[in-house]
Amino acid sequence: MRELKTVIDEIAAEYRACEERGQVATYIPELAKVDIGSFGICAVTADGAVASAGDAEIPFSIQSVSKVFTLTLALGKIGDALWRRVGREPSGNSFNSIVQLEYEKGIPRNPFINAGALAVADVVLAGHAPKVALGEILRFLHFVADDDSIQIDEAVARSEQATGYRNVALANYMRAFGNLSNPVEMVLGVYFHHCAIAMNCVQLAMAGRYLAFSGRHPTTGARVVSPERARRINALMLTCGHYDGSGDFAYRVGLPSKSGVGGGILAIVPGKASIAVWSPGLDGQGNSVLGSLALEMLAKRMGWSIFGA
Ligand code: DON
């Protein structure tokens, strides 16, 4: 196996000059301000080694990558009862599809599309004020990333709150089907704010370690989730983590991963590594163009695809 740091440096150098970067998300106005030339990458391995390159220490908006962490918390709260309210199938539709929710009578296809993540936010919120629920999400991230500095970017949260009409529509529609139990505004508040969490690649790769290492926090050995739950979250990331681009991503990269419209991707190499990449230019499905290419290259050069070489 080639040395990880060498491979990561090569990839960052190869992408620094790349011109085909897709488009930065503009439907959340604050995200449109991000420099499309940014590129960061970090991988953390089982022995605790951290290899990073490029803009790996510049914070970005994790957006839908946060849905992995809220899913973990919701499963911790209500376990398999979550699956009465959210499915586990790839959507084959855009992440903010409204029509699919109508066919499926308010039961979203999976926890990563926006409607599914709203149901998950409703579970995390249950019994708490929104501020307390957000505090719980942040505390979880501080614990899994070993980093108490992770925060919500309030400007991004306000920007999405002011323009998130589709999510407002999805939440009201879910409530009409009886699949949200808290007030719609509160669920949306939690959702917009957890999407607006800012992290850098090093923090995100550290946060993903429990998924790579059978549910354990590798530095303390503390159990975050059971090995079975880590395996199942990874399965959902593989099948649903890139929305209607999930099949192609599995074909090209072969790793459980979750993307966000901020251009970040968290990818898990079970038993071996947790990886974060960030490049804000997106493809038509809202997934980072260079982030996907960089992971494809990293998986190939390290022999890391879960499907073998
Ligand atoms: O709800 C939204 O549209 C955003 N807060 C998150 C969408 C997202 O990141 C989709 N991922 N690629």
Side-chain angles (χ1 to χ4, degrees):
M1 193 176 76
R2 299 192 50 208
E3 223 234 295
L4 176 62
K5 174 66 176 146
T6 314
V7 174
I8 290 231
D9 284 341
E10 275 170 16
I11 291 173
E14 279 165 48
Y15 286 120
R16 193 153 293 140
C18 183
E19 290 190 357
E20 297 283 306
R21 287 172 180 259
Q23 305 284 322
V24 171
T26 52
Y27 75 99
I28 300 172
E30 198 65 21
L31 296 184
K33 298 181 182 165
V34 175
D35 175 8
I36 194 165
S38 315
F39 179 86
I41 184 164
C42 177
V44 184
T45 48
D47 55 4
V50 179
S52 66
D55 301 318
E57 296 197 26
I58 297 186
F60 59 89
S61 189
I62 67 167
Q63 291 295 320
S64 288
V65 183
S66 60
K67 296 171 182 173
V68 171
F69 306 116
T70 53
L71 172 64
T72 304
L73 287 172
L75 287 170
K77 285 198 157 183
I78 63 167
D80 284 345
L82 181 69
W83 306 122
R84 290 203 283 271
R85 297 178 54 182
V86 187
R88 300 193 296 262
E89 292 295 339
S91 63
N93 271 303
S94 62
F95 60 84
N96 54 12
S97 173
I98 290 180
V99 70
Q100 190 166 51
L101 198 58
E102 178 160 30
Y103 303 145
E104 301 190 340
K105 304 197 166 37
I107 307 291
R109 240 342 143 80
N110 67 61
F112 296 146
I113 55 172
N114 290 8
L118 286 164
V120 168
D122 189 55
V123 170
V124 175
L125 176 59
H128 299 302
K131 267 207 162 87
V132 177
L134 288 165
E136 191 185 339
I137 297 167
L138 281 176
R139 263 194 312 283
F140 178 72
L141 281 174
H142 295 169
F143 166 56
V144 288
D146 273 331
D147 190 332
D148 288 352
S149 70
I150 297 163
Q151 289 294 349
I152 292 168
D153 183 330
E154 289 293 340
V156 173
R158 274 197 303 275
S159 182
E160 189 170 356
Q161 201 131 28
T163 56
Y165 303 110
R166 284 187 83 94
N167 286 325
V168 173
L170 285 167
N172 278 291
Y173 207 39
M174 302 251 309
R175 176 87 198 206
F177 279 109
N179 199 4
L180 289 186
S181 36
N182 292 284
V184 165
E185 312 69 52
M186 286 193 187
V187 178
L188 284 165
V190 170
Y191 174 80
F192 290 142
H193 282 78
H194 76 62
C195 287
I197 291 170
M199 290 170 80
N200 63 37
C201 289
V202 177
Q203 292 169 327
L204 190 56
M206 295 290 273
R209 291 172 301 172
Y210 71 99
L211 295 170
F213 306 118
S214 304
R216 279 198 189 279
H217 191 295
T219 49
T220 60
R223 174 144 317 289
V224 181
V225 294
S226 67
E228 184 183 56
R229 184 157 290 162
R231 171 167 61 74
R232 290 176 159 170
I233 294 171
N234 281 320
L236 290 164
M237 289 169 74
L238 183 78
T239 51
C240 311
H242 277 67
Y243 309 106
D244 42 342
S246 299
D248 192 56
F249 191 87
Y251 178 86
R252 288 168 48 202
V253 181
L255 293 175
S257 306
K258 182 75 208 78
S259 68
V261 290
I265 305 176
L266 171 65
I268 302 301
V269 192
K272 297 202 170 89
S274 169
I275 311 164
V277 284
W278 171 52
S279 171
L282 308 178
D283 63 17
Q285 279 92 28
N287 301 314
S288 171
V289 171
L290 292 193
S292 305
L293 282 169
L295 285 169
E296 184 174 1
M297 195 174 282
L298 181 61
K300 188 169 173 190
R301 293 189 186 168
M302 297 302 293
W304 273 353
S305 163
I306 60 168
F307 302 110

